[in-house]
Amino acid sequence: MKRILVTGSTGFIGKYTIDSLLKKNVKVYSIIRKSKKNIKLIKKIKKKNQNFYAILFNKNTELKKKIFKVKPDVLINLATNYITNPNHKEIPDVINSNITFPTIVLDESCKNKKIKVINICSLMQCANNKIDNPENFYALTKILFKNTMTFYQKKYPKNVFINLYIGDTYGSNDSRKKILPTIYKNYIKNKKTVIQTKNLQLNILHVHDVVNGIKILVDKIKKSSNFFIRSNTKFDLIKVINKYNSKKRKKIKLVFNNNKISKINRVNLRPIPKWKQKINVINTFYNDLNESN
């Protein structure tokens, strides 16, 4: 039975990924920082599926022995600390989550056996459509870990190293500090949401479509490569909001700044073979807003 090791499994995409993987005939090992909240989550998942195994830890130094025992066939790195421009106190935590921690996991995983490594990248790493051109500090740390992957690819040439670039994501019950969840939360509270610019065009995929892409990488891809998946639905934020407001009494309230933002439309990367977008995020967003009334 294939052994899949996952970092960042308590995050938004991570939870959906774990749930989807556990429907397959695989063993899923999740590296989770020890806390009362996470222990409750682990018990909940374990009740539903006995092929789920939690690797609890407090310090990075505890990981070496625990990963060695797993000997994973696949490593999926979803670990991320999404603070785009951290202050001085936050910088060490961002570096640890996005670089140090996944590097330790990667290092130990590669020592055990031939392995496939799947790393989730952000389009923020591609400001103005240039690969490895960071839009902010968060993107810089993601690029630095991607460069770490390149080093390990040279060191372990028989292993498969894959980077998957994605834009923004959305799904129901999304509590992250992202644009659509923030608009949704403020809509419920009848509050205004501040948006950087009126000309904001987003590339947003439903989280299920992202997870389907990850599953294809796990099952089908056998060579190291970089991939990109994007929505085929144009998401012009102001048009999406205006269309909703035109049909509802309760309006979505937005305040616009005049900030300039980098445009990320197309990057020179391969799409995942046989991957197709199945869910329209605009419809999902509208449905969530309607259900809140």
Side-chain angles (χ1 to χ4, degrees):
M1 190 178 292
K2 187 179 290 184
R3 297 178 171 217
I4 302 177
L5 181 64
V6 183
T7 67
S9 58
T10 60
F12 181 69
I13 297 177
K15 289 177 182 177
Y16 279 92
T17 301
I18 290 291
D19 182 65
S20 182
L21 290 174
L22 287 172
K23 294 174 183 176
K24 298 160 58 69
N25 187 30
V26 299
K27 290 184 177 181
V28 177
Y29 295 81
S30 177
I31 303 177
I32 301 175
R33 194 170 293 277
K34 194 172 184 179
S35 70
K36 289 183 179 180
K37 180 182 177 182
N38 287 340
I39 289 172
K40 286 183 180 179
L41 176 64
I42 291 164
K43 289 180 179 178
K44 185 178 179 181
I45 299 173
K46 192 72 175 177
K47 278 184 179 179
K48 294 181 179 179
N49 199 306
Q50 294 301 307
N51 284 336
F52 175 78
Y53 303 88
I55 301 174
L56 288 169
F57 79 106
N58 287 312
K59 297 179 180 179
N60 288 344
T61 52
E62 301 170 20
L63 292 170
K64 183 176 180 179
K65 290 182 180 179
K66 294 184 177 185
I67 295 173
F68 179 80
K69 291 179 181 178
V70 175
K71 293 181 172 57
D73 301 291
V74 179
L75 167 61
I76 303 175
N77 178 44
L78 293 163
T80 189
N81 187 339
Y82 182 72
I83 302 177
T84 54
N85 292 296
N87 59 40
H88 290 172
K89 291 183 179 180
E90 295 168 329
I91 285 174
D93 287 337
V94 174
I95 290 174
N96 178 63
S97 297
N98 298 346
I99 304 173
T100 308
F101 164 68
T103 298
I104 291 170
V105 176
L106 175 65
D107 182 76
E108 198 56 42
S109 298
C110 286
K111 289 178 182 177
N112 287 320
K113 58 190 292 188
K114 185 177 179 181
I115 185 173
K116 179 186 290 184
V117 182
I118 300 170
N119 176 49
I120 306 304
C121 295
S122 168
L123 280 183
M124 290 183 181
Q125 297 168 226
C126 306
N128 298 317
N129 299 325
K130 296 178 182 178
I131 297 172
D132 294 342
N133 184 30
E135 186 175 331
N136 47 48
F137 187 86
Y138 163 76
L140 172 63
T141 60
K142 297 291 286 182
I143 290 170
L144 291 173
F145 179 70
K146 182 196 168 192
N147 291 342
T148 302
M149 292 250 299
T150 301
F151 169 78
Y152 277 85
Q153 186 173 352
K154 293 177 182 177
K155 190 175 181 180
Y156 299 98
K158 292 184 179 180
N159 289 356
V160 176
F161 294 85
I162 298 168
N163 290 296
L164 173 60
Y165 286 79
I166 62 173
D168 210 346
T169 55
Y170 180 74
S172 299
N173 302 314
D174 191 345
S175 61
R176 296 172 298 168
K177 293 180 180 180
K178 300 268 188 171
I179 292 176
L180 295 190
T182 300
I183 292 173
Y184 173 79
K185 181 174 67 175
N186 288 339
Y187 177 74
I188 293 174
K189 296 179 179 179
N190 202 28
K191 292 173 61 177
K192 296 178 181 179
T193 302
V194 179
I195 305 296
Q196 290 183 339
T197 174
K198 273 190 175 181
N199 301 316
L200 190 59
Q201 294 189 357
L202 305 172
N203 186 289
I204 305 183
L205 284 171
H206 194 281
V207 63
H208 284 312
D209 283 327
V210 174
V211 171
N212 286 338
I214 293 172
K215 286 165 63 178
I216 292 172
L217 298 179
V218 170
D219 295 334
K220 305 294 183 181
I221 304 303
K222 297 180 180 180
K223 293 182 179 180
S224 297
S225 188
N226 297 324
F227 295 99
F228 169 45
I229 52 175
R230 62 175 289 117
S231 172
N232 56 28
T233 305
K234 186 177 180 181
F235 199 113
D236 187 315
L237 183 64
I238 190 64
K239 289 183 179 180
V240 170
I241 299 303
N242 286 343
K243 183 177 179 180
Y244 184 83
N245 284 346
S246 68
K247 298 178 181 179
K248 303 293 177 179
R249 283 189 177 182
K250 184 179 179 182
K251 310 297 183 183
I252 299 170
K253 299 177 181 178
L254 303 181
V255 176
F256 296 97
N257 292 329
N258 293 318
N259 297 339
K260 290 184 178 181
I261 59 173
S262 62
K263 294 182 179 180
I264 305 173
N265 300 316
R266 295 281 180 183
V267 288
N268 189 24
L269 294 165
R270 295 172 57 197
I272 296 177
K274 297 184 179 180
W275 175 88
K276 290 183 179 180
Q277 181 182 356
K278 295 181 180 179
I279 303 175
N280 186 307
V281 171
I282 297 174
N283 291 339
T284 302
F285 182 54
Y286 285 163
N287 289 338
D288 290 342
L289 291 169
N290 290 335
E291 289 177 7
S292 71
N293 292 319

